[in-house]
Amino acid sequence: MSAFFTALVPVILIVALGQFLVRRGLVQAEAFRALDRLSFLVLLPALIIRALANAEFDGAPWLMIAALMAAQVLLGAFGLLAHAWPGMTRPEIGTIVQSNVRWNTIIGLSLGGLLFGDEGLALVSLAAAAMIPVANVISVYALVSHADRPPGERPRPLLALTRNPLIYACLIGIGLASFHVRLPVIADETLKMLANAAIALGLLSAGAGVDLGALKRAGLRTFTWTAVRLIGLPALTLAVGLAIGLSGLPLAIALICAATPTAPNSYVLARELGGNTTLAANFIAAQTLLAALTLPLTWLVILGLGAV
């Protein structure tokens, strides 16, 4: 357990530092938005390409992918039960479904790398290659179908995926690993330098993007569906994983990925596609904070299963 806290505490501290810098006005929020763009276009793709290119995969990671994708679909469908909640509006329901299927890639990469080194980074990157498309497609259709007013331009989630540099990075990395192509030393060192910046900047931006004021507006529905997300996605991943024979490190990585909070960019998508932005902000703040409690519980489950 001490190894996990050794990995988790630095993540929490860097996220808290990002929040501190913004609240004190030492760094403007606009600066972090620019860093988010840099990380999305350059730093994270570099990290993913290098992690996947240097990895060796057997059959187990594909079971990991199947478990994570199935859990996303199941929890997304479960979010539709919010229709039965008295007074729940349609935009709120779309926002709940989005929250249920999105995950924080940066936190997953951070913990995977700190706990399991390059192999952990490679497995989280592989999980991202599967989970990002599933989350995007479900989120877009859930938000649009529950919006009070349709967006001006019809969204095309599959087309948007073709413009996502993280998807291309996954494909490049998997391709290099599949054909056993070793990165030249200069290319490997260049990607390593860029990758080293990705995690720290991503965590700082994640902290800067948390609206603590949202917690003051949060009510029963925020905390109920936050609990559903933080407990439900790991639980479904575990159930599906065990049912199909997933074990060992891939099972551990799958549970860590599923236990991360919802993605910070879910607020932007909710705003653009007619979701409830207040609820989206509440989810981001509540899940980011409460994940500090649920992630250690997930690690205890991993230890109990003997997965590591």
Side-chain angles (χ1 to χ4, degrees):
M1 195 69 182
S2 61
F4 180 76
F5 279 109
T6 301
L8 179 63
V9 171
V11 171
I12 294 173
L13 291 176
I14 296 175
V15 170
L17 177 59
Q19 177 67 205
F20 174 81
L21 292 173
V22 168
R23 288 180 70 85
R24 291 293 183 178
L26 299 174
V27 179
Q28 297 300 313
E30 291 77 12
F32 280 108
R33 283 193 282 271
L35 288 176
D36 279 338
R37 187 67 176 166
L38 174 65
S39 182
F40 179 68
L41 292 176
V42 180
L43 303 181
L44 273 177
L47 184 153
I48 290 172
I49 290 172
R50 184 174 184 271
L52 290 174
N54 294 331
E56 295 182 4
F57 298 119
D58 53 22
W62 306 109
L63 296 179
M64 177 189 75
I65 287 175
L68 286 167
M69 293 175 67
Q72 282 179 291
V73 172
L74 289 171
L75 198 64
F78 186 82
L80 295 175
L81 293 179
H83 280 282
W85 188 297
M88 187 77 75
T89 66
R90 290 183 61 81
E92 287 175 329
I93 295 169
T95 303
I96 287 169
V97 173
Q98 177 187 218
S99 170
N100 282 1
V101 300
R102 286 195 174 276
W103 67 300
N104 194 309
T105 311
I106 285 291
I107 293 179
L109 287 167
S110 303
L111 292 174
L114 289 170
L115 288 166
F116 306 113
D118 289 342
E119 187 177 6
L121 277 176
L123 286 171
V124 176
S125 298
L126 194 60
M131 294 180 74
I132 290 172
V134 173
N136 283 352
V137 171
I138 293 177
S139 296
V140 168
Y141 283 115
L143 289 168
V144 171
S145 63
H146 289 87
D148 285 335
R149 52 176 179 76
E153 181 180 351
R154 184 179 180 182
R156 300 177 180 178
L158 296 179
L159 179 61
L161 290 176
T162 66
R163 300 170 181 166
N164 190 322
L166 301 186
I167 299 299
Y168 285 109
C170 291
L171 294 176
I172 292 170
I174 292 172
L176 292 172
S178 299
F179 291 100
H180 304 286
V181 177
R182 292 186 61 84
L183 289 169
V185 174
I186 293 177
D188 186 64
E189 288 299 319
T190 301
L191 291 173
K192 182 179 179 180
M193 293 176 68
L194 292 170
N196 287 341
I199 297 294
L201 288 179
L203 291 174
L204 286 171
S205 293
V210 173
D211 178 12
L212 293 179
L215 293 177
K216 298 177 182 178
R217 304 187 298 268
L220 179 61
R221 65 187 60 185
T222 294
F223 289 107
T224 298
W225 287 101
T226 287
V228 167
R229 166 61 181 79
L230 292 178
I231 297 171
L233 195 60
L236 287 171
T237 301
L238 177 61
V240 175
L242 293 178
I244 63 178
L246 182 62
S247 62
L249 181 57
L251 174 59
I253 290 294
L255 291 176
I256 289 171
C257 290
T260 63
T262 196
N265 62 1
S266 59
Y267 176 88
V268 177
L269 201 61
R271 182 185 63 203
E272 292 179 352
L273 299 182
N276 186 296
T277 54
T278 299
L279 187 60
N282 292 352
F283 281 145
I284 294 167
Q287 292 183 31
T288 301
L289 293 177
L290 293 178
L293 301 176
T294 56
L295 277 166
L297 296 178
T298 302
W299 183 250
L300 286 176
V301 172
I302 292 170
L303 294 178
L305 293 168
V308 294

